[in-house]
Amino acid sequence: MTSSEIREKFLSFFKGKNHTIVPSAPMVIKDDPTLMFTNAGMNQFKEYFLGNSISKHPRIADTQKCLRVSGKHNDLEEVGKDTYHHTMFEMLGNWSFGDYFKKEAIAWAWELLTEVYKIDKESLYVSVFEGSEDDNLTLDQEAYDLWKAIVPENRIILGSKKDNFWEMGDQGPCGPCSEIHVDIRPASEKAKVAGASLVNQDHPEVIEIWNLVFIQYNRKADGSLEPLPEKHVDTGMGFERLSMVLQGVNSSYDSDIFRPILKEVESITGEAYGSDPEKDIAMRVVADHIRAVAFSIADGQLPSNNGAGYVIRRILRRAVRYGFTFLGTHEPFLFKLVKVLVTQMGTAFPELKRQSALIENVVREEEHSFLKTLEQGLVLLDEVISGTKGKVVDGQKAFELYDTFGFPIDLTSLILGEKGYTLDTEGFEKAMQEQKSRSRSASEVAKDDWQVVHTNGEQEFLGYDQLEAEVRLVKYRKITTKKDKTQFQLVFDKTPFYPEGGGQVGDMGYLEVPNGDVVYILDTKKENNEIVHYAKNLPKHLNESLTAVVNKVARANTERNHSATHLLHQALRNVLGSHVEQKGSAVHPGHLRFDFSHFAKLTNEELTRVEDFVNERIHEHLPLQENRQVSMKEAMKEGAIALFGEKYGDQVRTIRFGNSIELCGGTHVKNTAEIWHFKIVSEGAIAAGVRRIEAITSDAVLNHYEEKEGQLDEIKARLKSSGDPVKAIEGLIEENAQLKKEIEALQKDKAKGLKAEIKKELEQREDYKFLSREVDLDAGAMKDLSFEMGQEVDNLFLLLGSEKDGKALLSCYISKDLANAKGWNAGQIVRELGKFIQGGGGGQPFFATAGGKNPEGIKEALEKVRSLLT
Ligand code: ATP
Ligand code: MG
């Protein structure tokens, strides 16, 4: 069975059990402050588990792109080393939201595995939660009894909280689970050791394939559990692991999902997979990581220096480093794998195909710059080694290399080993821990439990039509922010406040309380599909009706910038071509930022055309045509632009101005005339093939021009000319050049005169000529003069002192023969004399300079030199 057939069979099986099939949510999560990447199929349904909203479909099935490289689920370090953990993988899942529970979930899982996929029943084991004292929970008897009816008891294993109690995060929905494990060892092995004893023992051929989670509790902030009113089913089966089992191979890398990629790795590196265990690990790392990186970029997350982007960068670098160390790849090569990946997965995931050129470019560029870092790191490491006394290299130093230059620690260890050194791992770990606790305390936010004031149905958003509304508090909780400040999160039954999303910032404003008090709302965000308001304090009377008022000025400016962003997007596609894809946007009251894929810097002419295009649309006074409820199909037919990496339902909202039509949940002007004017203030690259435009509209444009005009007036005033300032400046430039020339000529004359003077002053000592004297020259001129004198006078000792801009300078010249004969050293001499001018210096034995902050000391230095020459 091919992997495509396996995926298809899963979905059609559950369709047959009345499940609605939905597409995978993006792997990169944009609007959830608690999670960077989708790490399980259930993430996109969190709001249903929490009871914030009700799913239209009580039964759902899908395949979900997952990434487990950060937070609670992090498999990164296993990947490559074993044969069944991946960074990015597909999770096949079926869900029940308050519908069926353990009985059906267990029966269907068994039916699918044994009757549809025809896995040998004898090779399957199941596990049941045994209970846990911490949580006061006992054996999951219900699940145990259900399994007992299907499988013999010796194939039911009891599991601890670690393996059989599933939690999404530190807080939130959770519950006991039943896992299904499969033993794929050859019969001869099975006869020797019973499979049951190998379950959950990290055996590569006795592995978990499916987890059936029975969500029935909510974990509260204080760690206690409370039962959920509705019970849910959440299952997840590893698609790659299932394919391995059904294709009769013992590593998911040998399934048809990974084979073509590994083949390409073989042909690029000239290494054969399976010939050397160390190289095999590296090849698996490479084959795995390119998928994670490519899918992230397709979802709109580029590698970067922080947050989710940094996680992606680290995955990519791990692959480069394994290639560099074990496969001898010292040139970019990962980008070459993108083509195979696209051929193989581009049909199931079209976002990959559409953006393959961008993915290749970004990956190649990243590889290139990291390889450079590696080279520099090797040089720095050599320096660290040569500065090491003994054979143990300081862990703190290795950590600095790792932390500041991104030089990988395992490479450091490897190189040290080759050179006969060892690493002080304890010191390294200590430095690492210190840094971790520093960054943890800087980023963590503590949250109390929600306090419910009113119970309420689904929350209503009024902000498309209203900026003010009477609302009631539904629940609130206290949070402690990064900077140890207390704030309150408030949820209302309805709200006019727009929550941050789709690039547009969250609304600010205030609440008016009946007694006349005001509570400020600092920001608004969406969490698990609920609009959460961040308030400075809590309203005194929680039960009363409140007036929620949005800051109208900020909102209006934000709307101008949001609508202008749509017009800019349209303009770029018009002027540059339809390859332009939105890669990010930020819409603030004061400015807008738009990132997009394009491979070259925009010329001035293109920038002007883009600006003109937008301004023409503004002058056409195009009315807003908003459609709040339209089917995705209909919207696409009309030509609406959807973004990769965004989550859309089957009903979407479209925003149209003339021919610009986009899927968008943001707020907009009623007519483009309100934007008044659009002006680009900067354009540049933010990554390979991705450019950023920053622009302003309306009042900001006025301020911009007023500021420019102010500057021009200032320039005119300084020029003291009422005529054309450009002409006046050209005149100044010319005059300046002329004056420079004259000064140079004068300085040359002066130097000539000075040289003649100095020659006359030279003291003839027994076998050399001596002079120490003050001059009015800068450092460069002092050096020139010294060398010229040296050319003309043999056996010369010349010490010059000068004061420039309040600082003291000394220069010492000694003819080479003289320095050798007498054993004098100009460097030592200036260092000695540096004391008098409160400074230091150095140089070569025949010429050296010193600088200091005490010009008063010059005279003394010029005098003291005599006593040094003995
Ligand atoms: P394991 O103990 O093997 O790491 P898990 O308990 O972390 O698995 P779950 O969180 O229950 O796994 O995820 C459900 C299913 O997803 C698993 O049964 C497995 O088939 C699959 N899965 C989990 N992690 C990975 C991974 N890193 N790579 C591939 N498949 C995975
Ligand atoms: Mg795991």
Side-chain angles (χ1 to χ4, degrees):
M1 217 183 293
T2 67
S3 53
S4 313
E5 286 162 0
I6 292 171
R7 193 193 282 120
E8 196 34 56
K9 278 222 159 82
F10 179 90
L11 298 175
S12 58
F13 176 81
F14 281 103
K15 202 169 173 186
K17 309 275 183 211
N18 292 326
H19 286 62
T20 303
I21 310 302
V22 303
S24 171
M27 188 171 79
V28 183
I29 298 178
K30 304 219 169 81
D31 294 336
D32 184 341
T34 61
L35 212 56
M36 280 199 268
F37 303 102
T38 297
N39 62 24
M42 61 87 69
N43 294 160
Q44 68 161 319
F45 307 118
K46 243 165 72 181
E47 62 194 81
Y48 305 143
F49 292 128
L50 287 165
N52 292 346
S53 41
I54 295 160
S55 172
K56 262 189 291 184
H57 314 290
R59 298 178 181 187
I60 284 181
D62 71 359
T63 177
Q64 172 66 51
K65 302 177 272 185
C66 295
L67 190 64
R68 292 198 167 178
V69 289
S70 59
K72 198 169 175 74
H73 290 285
N74 188 346
D75 292 335
L76 185 59
E77 288 312 315
E78 306 315 314
V79 172
K81 292 181 189 145
D82 72 22
T83 48
Y84 56 101
H85 277 100
H86 303 289
T87 53
M88 186 223 147
F89 62 97
E90 280 181 65
M91 197 186 278
L92 303 167
N94 59 296
W95 281 269
S96 148
F97 305 111
D99 188 12
Y100 64 84
F101 204 44
K102 296 181 191 178
K103 184 167 152 238
E104 294 83 348
I106 287 175
W108 290 339
W110 191 255
E111 183 188 337
L112 177 63
L113 291 181
T114 59
E115 284 167 35
V116 178
Y117 291 138
K118 303 215 179 320
I119 298 177
D120 174 15
K121 288 179 187 162
E122 305 292 309
S123 67
L124 293 173
Y125 294 86
V126 300
S127 67
V128 173
F129 179 51
E130 66 182 6
S132 111
E133 275 175 25
D134 313 348
D135 292 317
N136 231 336
L137 293 177
T138 52
L139 170 74
D140 183 357
Q141 191 69 47
E142 191 186 354
Y144 192 90
D145 292 341
L146 287 165
W147 280 120
K148 206 169 71 174
I150 309 177
V151 296
E153 270 181 284
N154 64 0
R155 293 220 307 277
I156 305 178
I157 288 136
L158 296 186
S160 66
K161 183 172 168 182
K162 180 179 142 283
D163 288 317
N164 283 78
F165 197 84
W166 206 91
E167 308 205 34
M168 181 174 67
D170 295 333
Q171 277 159 262
C174 54
C177 59
S178 256
E179 298 169 343
I180 303 176
H181 297 256
V182 54
D183 182 356
I184 53 170
R185 291 174 303 154
S188 57
E189 292 292 319
K190 286 183 182 172
K192 279 188 234 151
V193 182
S197 66
L198 298 175
V199 167
N200 278 332
Q201 301 302 316
D202 294 331
H203 191 289
E205 289 172 305
V206 183
I207 55 159
E208 175 193 332
I209 52 166
W210 203 348
N211 194 356
L212 316 180
V213 183
F214 311 119
I215 303 265
Q216 55 192 103
Y217 302 108
N218 180 34
R219 172 84 64 196
K220 304 210 302 184
D222 66 1
S224 64
L225 294 177
E226 83 190 341
L228 288 175
E230 299 251 31
K231 305 201 183 330
H232 316 284
V233 170
D234 152 24
T235 87
M237 171 150 61
F239 171 62
E240 295 74 9
R241 292 187 191 178
L242 178 65
S243 299
M244 149 180 111
V245 173
L246 298 183
Q247 293 178 358
V249 289
N250 61 3
S251 152
S252 51
Y253 294 90
D254 288 325
S255 70
D256 67 352
I257 301 171
F258 282 96
R259 257 278 139 213
I261 307 178
L262 275 175
K263 258 219 174 86
E264 189 65 19
V265 179
E266 285 180 321
S267 93
I268 292 170
T269 60
E271 301 284 352
Y273 182 65
S275 52
D276 172 342
E278 218 165 42
K279 288 183 179 163
D280 289 352
I281 292 179
M283 291 168 103
R284 288 197 288 264
V285 164
V286 166
D288 173 276
H289 289 10
I290 188 63
R291 290 183 3 132
V293 172
F295 273 91
S296 299
I297 298 172
D299 257 5
Q301 182 56 62
L302 299 167
S304 75
N305 251 343
N306 48 47
Y310 190 54
V311 176
I312 300 307
R313 175 166 282 169
R314 273 188 8 234
I315 299 176
L316 189 139
R317 289 180 168 186
R318 189 170 185 261
V320 173
R321 167 159 70 78
Y322 268 89
F324 186 90
T325 315
F326 301 106
L327 305 173
T329 45
H330 293 189
E331 295 287 324
F333 75 105
L334 289 169
F335 76 97
K336 295 183 190 160
L337 301 171
V338 174
K339 279 211 171 61
V340 202
L341 186 63
V342 169
T343 316
Q344 200 196 343
M345 301 194 80
T347 315
F349 300 94
E351 65 268 33
L352 212 54
K353 196 184 266 172
R354 279 269 305 266
Q355 302 183 85
S356 62
L358 173 75
I359 298 170
E360 271 185 34
N361 266 288
V362 171
V363 171
R364 186 179 45 218
E365 214 34 56
E366 278 285 313
E367 285 189 84
H368 179 75
S369 74
F370 184 54
L371 284 164
K372 255 204 305 220
T373 306
L374 281 181
E375 271 163 31
Q376 280 166 359
L378 291 174
V379 175
L380 290 171
L381 183 58
D382 270 343
E383 277 171 25
V384 172
I385 292 174
S386 62
T388 298
K389 295 197 184 80
K391 287 284 169 198
V392 183
V393 168
D394 186 1
Q396 175 69 36
K397 287 236 165 69
F399 179 75
E400 280 162 22
L401 259 182
Y402 161 80
D403 194 39
T404 8
F405 302 99
F407 197 72
I409 192 63
D410 47 1
L411 197 58
T412 301
S413 299
L414 197 87
I415 294 168
L416 292 182
E418 279 168 5
K419 301 197 174 192
Y421 286 80
T422 54
L423 173 70
D424 153 31
T425 20
E426 235 166 72
F428 177 81
E429 285 302 329
K430 199 170 143 243
M432 182 82 143
Q433 282 312 325
E434 280 168 8
Q435 204 237 29
K436 268 198 186 145
S437 57
R438 272 198 305 275
S439 63
R440 190 175 312 129
S441 52
S443 67
E444 244 162 47
V445 182
K447 292 174 180 166
D448 286 2
D449 281 324
W450 287 108
Q451 303 296 319
V452 177
V453 181
H454 278 112
T455 42
N456 190 66
E458 228 162 296
Q459 189 190 30
E460 200 184 341
F461 174 62
L462 309 169
Y464 292 141
D465 310 301
Q466 274 167 258
L467 294 178
E468 230 180 280
E470 295 301 306
V471 304
R472 288 182 83 99
L473 188 63
V474 169
K475 59 180 182 177
Y476 67 90
R477 69 174 165 188
K478 195 170 97 184
I479 60 168
T480 313
T481 66
K482 294 170 199 171
K483 289 175 194 136
D484 250 358
K485 282 207 186 107
T486 301
Q487 283 186 2
F488 292 87
Q489 292 185 326
L490 312 179
V491 172
F492 305 118
D493 57 346
K494 49 188 185 294
T495 177
F497 281 72
Y498 179 80
E500 179 185 314
Q504 180 175 338
V505 292
D507 277 336
M508 299 178 300
Y510 59 91
L511 298 173
E512 233 171 48
V513 185
N515 71 359
D517 279 357
V518 164
V519 172
Y520 288 100
I521 302 292
L522 310 172
D523 200 357
T524 313
K525 289 185 178 163
K526 211 169 202 181
E527 222 178 288
N528 300 314
N529 208 24
E530 216 166 37
I531 301 173
V532 180
H533 306 74
Y534 288 71
K536 243 182 155 156
N537 39 4
L538 205 57
K540 280 206 189 75
H541 306 285
L542 301 173
N543 276 307
E544 286 176 77
S545 149
L546 310 160
T547 315
V549 185
V550 173
N551 178 329
K552 297 182 180 67
V553 178
R555 168 71 95 81
N557 282 329
T558 305
E559 289 180 342
R560 293 185 177 108
N561 285 334
H562 200 158
S563 303
T565 302
H566 284 204
L567 298 178
L568 170 62
H569 191 182
Q570 190 197 6
L572 288 167
R573 288 172 79 99
N574 241 282
V575 173
L576 304 176
S578 60
H579 62 281
V580 167
E581 298 269 1
Q582 174 168 342
K583 283 286 147 231
S585 97
V587 182
H588 294 265
H591 66 278
L592 66 96
R593 206 180 70 202
F594 190 74
D595 301 340
F596 57 100
S597 50
H598 181 60
F599 297 110
K601 182 165 179 55
L602 270 70
T603 62
N604 283 340
E605 195 233 318
E606 284 168 335
L607 286 172
T608 310
R609 279 170 59 202
V610 169
E611 268 180 0
D612 288 351
F613 183 98
V614 175
N615 283 317
E616 277 158 26
R617 303 290 86 72
I618 293 171
H619 295 151
E620 280 169 5
H621 294 199
L622 301 170
L624 164 70
Q625 289 170 277
E626 178 201 12
N627 195 342
R628 286 194 198 160
Q629 282 282 340
V630 56
S631 73
M632 184 73 172
K633 248 204 198 131
E634 192 71 21
M636 290 291 120
K637 224 169 52 206
E638 271 193 70
I641 299 181
L643 304 181
F644 288 123
E646 287 298 324
K647 184 177 156 188
Y648 297 109
D650 18 316
Q651 290 294 310
V652 292
R653 176 171 178 259
T654 56
I655 294 294
R656 179 198 275 275
F657 292 106
N659 291 326
S660 148
I661 166 160
E662 293 199 24
L663 301 188
C664 178
T667 66
H668 287 271
V669 296
K670 296 276 173 286
N671 188 297
T672 57
E674 289 172 46
I675 304 171
W676 189 69
H677 196 76
F678 169 84
K679 169 107 197 84
I680 293 175
V681 289
S682 76
E683 189 273 344
I686 55 164
V690 183
R691 312 215 48 99
R692 168 170 294 174
I693 279 183
E694 287 178 312
I696 49 179
T697 64
S698 67
D699 284 358
V701 178
L702 188 65
N703 293 342
H704 176 81
Y705 284 124
E706 274 175 1
E707 196 182 306
K708 295 267 166 229
E709 194 170 9
Q711 279 171 353
L712 192 62
D713 286 345
E714 176 80 23
I715 288 170
K716 280 186 185 162
R718 300 249 178 125
L719 286 172
K720 294 200 175 57
S721 115
S722 53
D724 180 358
V726 178
K727 277 224 176 82
I729 286 175
E730 273 169 1
L732 276 183
I733 292 171
E734 214 166 281
E735 194 178 302
N736 203 20
Q738 191 58 35
L739 288 174
K740 247 192 205 147
K741 253 190 227 156
E742 280 171 29
I743 289 174
E744 268 166 29
L746 282 173
Q747 257 170 352
K748 262 194 196 130
D749 277 356
K750 185 171 144 197
K752 227 187 255 163
L754 187 62
K755 210 157 76 184
E757 226 172 87
I758 283 178
K759 266 194 191 153
K760 272 190 236 149
E761 287 175 22
L762 288 175
E763 269 173 52
Q764 177 66 49
R765 296 202 160 181
E766 326 104 68
D767 47 358
Y768 66 98
K769 294 216 166 61
F770 172 88
L771 181 65
S772 95
R773 146 198 231 284
E774 207 165 339
V775 289
D776 178 23
L777 296 174
D778 62 19
M782 275 162 86
K783 184 176 178 185
D784 289 347
L785 178 65
S786 301
F787 279 80
E788 275 175 39
M789 288 285 296
Q791 291 270 310
E792 290 167 31
V793 181
D794 288 338
N795 291 326
L796 172 69
F797 183 98
L798 181 62
L799 180 73
L800 300 177
S802 150
E803 181 184 343
K804 269 272 163 286
D805 308 322
K807 298 227 167 75
L809 294 169
L810 293 175
S811 82
C812 177
Y813 180 92
I814 312 173
S815 304
K816 269 193 186 144
D817 293 344
L818 182 62
N820 285 340
K822 298 272 188 187
W824 290 339
N825 183 325
Q828 266 166 22
I829 291 172
V830 296
R831 260 194 295 279
E832 195 63 32
L833 298 174
K835 281 189 270 189
F836 301 105
I837 57 168
Q838 288 178 20
Q844 288 156 296
F846 61 95
F847 182 76
T849 58
K853 54 185 178 202
N854 177 29
E856 317 276 271
I858 295 176
K859 282 216 163 55
E860 212 180 343
L862 293 175
E863 204 38 55
K864 278 284 153 56
V865 69
R866 291 172 187 273
S867 60
L868 291 177
L869 301 183
T870 46

